[in-house]
Amino acid sequence: MAISDNSRQSLLPTFLYSTPSLTKRLFNLESSLMKAEHRTPFISLGDVGGRASRVVVPSPKEGKIELFSPAFYAACTVGGMLCCGITHTAVTPLDIVKCNMQIDPTKYKSITSGFGVLVKEQGAKGLFKGWAPTLVGYSAQGAFKYGFYEFFKKYYSDIVGPEYAAKYKTLIYLAGSASAELIADVALCPMEAVKVRVQTQPGFARGLSDGLPKILKAEGVAGLYKGLVPLWGRQIPYTMMKFASFETIVELIYKYSIPTPKQECSTALQLGVSFGGGYIAGVLCAVVSHPADNLVSFLNNAKGATVGDAVKKLGVMGLLTRGLPLRIFMIGTLTGTQWGIYDSFKVFVGL
């Protein structure tokens, strides 16, 4: 069976998206009919002339999305928007305590005491301050992050060709994720500035509706983007670790921990692997990006402050460790859940 011209148009190596069984069917030439929809069901009508007669029943294409089509990238964008917006908003209470521990460690000494101080001073509603800029900002960031990651992963693979893409696949993951996050943070930065001030400056604003105009009036658009470079410093290493380590961890789980081939595992098991791999990746992400996270919180909270001011006040150890245990728990849970939601959405739309 000759491989069609359409399959030659993309140089993206099949290992990035294809299952082993698909590759085997394509190149071991099991059936030309099976190639179109991976498996074309048939009905046996008994023997005719000593051989089984088969009537081919084409598989329905409902819910199927062609790889690398506009619909594919749109689905990845929506999936990213949902998984990031929902998860970051859900952990708002943890994020508030974490930010306050970074800004005022003498007042917010630990996780438990931090929650106690917050509830005592602001009531239960104080646990969800800043949820609106969190939802808007991280939904936009997730949309650009996941959508452009899929785009750049294919783009860089096509540039280097299938041989080098397969040989240096981790570099493809790293380059694709870094490029995507560079764009995504431009969308996130204004909302992050509003979120940090609402959460760490009592009386500054109730939320997004009055916080955003207040910053614009006092500092202009520049005030919304003064934390962009530290945000890149936090998010780009975070995202590179998030995608590259996730891809590698999941591959190792299927290779060494699960005896059943991935394509034969149940959907529930595959989603469980996604969550587990995502959680481990999230822990690594938290450690790598934590110093920059402290910088972002400090700069967005202190008007006119510089990176030098932050280093001088917090110290190197403070940058590395302040609020780290809580952030490890938060980011591990958040990242694992994100991958679970994202992969569930891809299953739902037929990817």
Side-chain angles (χ1 to χ4, degrees):
M1 175 189 70
I3 299 176
S4 66
D5 292 337
N6 289 337
S7 64
R8 289 196 177 100
Q9 290 177 359
S10 173
L11 293 175
L12 189 70
T14 56
F15 70 83
L16 289 176
Y17 290 95
S18 301
T19 63
S21 63
L22 173 59
T23 305
K24 180 180 178 180
R25 289 200 299 271
L26 286 174
F27 294 97
N28 287 353
L29 314 178
E30 287 188 6
S31 169
S32 60
L33 291 173
M34 292 175 70
K35 179 185 172 185
E37 287 292 332
H38 303 317
R39 289 187 184 276
T40 304
F42 63 86
I43 300 173
S44 176
L45 297 182
D47 290 344
V48 177
R51 293 180 299 176
S53 174
R54 298 188 297 181
V55 176
V56 175
V57 181
S59 297
K61 294 185 179 181
E62 55 187 56
K64 297 299 181 183
I65 296 178
E66 182 183 353
L67 282 177
F68 318 124
S69 64
F72 168 79
Y73 292 118
C76 294
T77 298
V78 173
M81 178 183 69
L82 291 174
C83 75
C84 289
I86 292 171
T87 53
H88 278 277
T89 305
V91 299
T92 296
L94 291 174
D95 192 35
I96 293 175
V97 174
K98 184 265 300 180
C99 288
N100 280 285
M101 287 176 65
Q102 292 171 328
I103 297 301
D104 192 356
T106 57
K107 184 177 181 180
Y108 297 86
K109 297 179 180 180
S110 66
I111 298 173
T112 53
S113 66
F115 274 107
V117 171
L118 197 64
V119 172
K120 183 178 179 180
E121 292 187 352
Q122 303 180 35
K125 65 179 182 180
L127 295 174
F128 288 93
K129 286 182 65 176
W131 71 266
T134 298
L135 177 62
V136 174
Y138 282 96
S139 293
Q141 185 226 30
F144 286 110
K145 177 190 294 189
Y146 282 82
F148 275 111
Y149 173 66
E150 299 291 356
F151 170 80
F152 282 117
K153 188 161 66 170
K154 177 182 184 301
Y155 178 74
Y156 293 137
S157 295
D158 284 351
I159 288 177
V160 302
E163 180 182 351
Y164 287 107
K167 186 176 182 180
Y168 301 108
K169 59 183 178 179
T170 300
L171 294 180
I172 297 294
Y173 300 147
L174 291 171
S177 57
S179 300
E181 190 61 44
L182 188 72
I183 298 170
D185 287 345
V186 177
L188 170 63
C189 194
M191 295 298 103
E192 184 76 0
V194 176
K195 176 187 80 71
V196 170
R197 294 200 191 186
V198 168
Q199 291 177 342
T200 61
Q201 295 182 8
F204 171 76
R206 295 186 307 274
L208 177 60
S209 60
D210 55 340
L212 179 60
K214 185 174 276 191
I215 294 177
L216 286 173
K217 183 178 180 180
E219 303 176 49
V221 176
L224 296 174
Y225 281 97
K226 70 177 185 178
L228 180 59
V229 173
L231 187 63
W232 276 334
R234 180 188 81 184
Q235 289 298 128
I236 291 177
Y238 166 90
T239 301
M240 292 171 72
M241 180 65 75
K242 174 180 179 177
F243 283 98
S245 62
F246 172 78
E247 303 265 17
T248 302
I249 290 167
V250 167
E251 181 180 330
L252 292 175
I253 290 174
Y254 281 114
K255 186 175 181 180
Y256 294 108
S257 300
I258 299 177
T260 306
K262 178 182 178 182
Q263 67 275 11
E264 297 178 13
C265 294
S266 66
T267 300
L269 178 57
Q270 292 189 45
L271 293 177
V273 171
S274 292
F275 176 81
Y279 195 98
I280 297 171
V283 172
L284 299 175
C285 291
V287 174
V288 167
S289 62
H290 193 67
D293 184 62
N294 274 313
L295 283 177
V296 170
S297 295
F298 184 89
L299 293 176
N300 281 321
N301 185 68
K303 186 176 180 179
T306 65
V307 173
D309 296 331
V311 174
K312 184 177 180 180
K313 182 172 182 178
L314 300 177
V316 175
M317 286 303 296
L319 285 174
L320 292 172
T321 62
R322 184 175 292 181
L324 180 59
L326 178 56
R327 190 159 182 265
I328 286 176
F329 173 74
M330 185 182 82
I331 297 299
T333 304
L334 183 144
T335 305
T337 307
Q338 282 180 358
W339 279 114
I341 294 173
Y342 183 66
D343 281 355
S344 296
F345 180 79
K346 289 171 73 174
V347 170
F348 175 75
V349 299
L351 288 175

